[in-house]
Amino acid sequence: IFVRNAFGNYGDILREISYSPLMAENLSFLQSKSAAYMWETQGKISFADENFAREIMQLFSTGLYLLNLDGTQKLDNDGQPIPV
């Protein structure tokens, strides 16, 4: 995915990740169903797996720590990185 889109844009990478069967398995959104779908088809109250959205945010968007404008990690008063 990243080799094919090395010079593309961020949206193209996210699109490929979203449609990739390997990433579906890795990010655990394979076979995940929305609450509305489960209620309409099976009459069950269920919650969709939110791991995919969280992982996309952490791995491909915001990262694990807050950043300064120059890309360095923001530090707290103890000199530790500030988690997102």
Side-chain angles (χ1 to χ4, degrees):
I1 291 173
F2 294 109
V3 170
R4 269 194 311 276
N5 292 288
F7 301 105
N9 64 42
Y10 184 67
D12 293 338
I13 292 172
L14 281 181
R15 189 173 302 106
E16 277 217 44
I17 288 169
S18 298
Y19 291 121
S20 166
L22 182 59
M23 293 302 284
E25 199 171 311
N26 229 5
L27 296 173
S28 75
F29 70 88
L30 189 65
Q31 301 298 324
S32 180
K33 306 285 190 274
S34 74
Y37 175 83
M38 291 300 288
W39 179 254
E40 287 179 15
T41 60
Q42 299 177 16
K44 293 181 181 176
I45 296 176
S46 173
F47 298 98
D49 183 356
E50 296 175 356
N51 186 41
F52 176 68
R54 182 182 54 79
E55 291 296 334
I56 289 295
M57 292 288 290
Q58 285 188 337
L59 296 176
F60 305 109
S61 299
T62 61
L64 298 175
Y65 302 103
L66 293 178
L67 300 177
N68 294 309
L69 291 177
D70 65 358
T72 59
Q73 292 180 346
K74 286 188 177 184
L75 304 175
D76 62 14
N77 294 334
D78 298 326
Q80 298 299 314
I82 303 170
V84 175

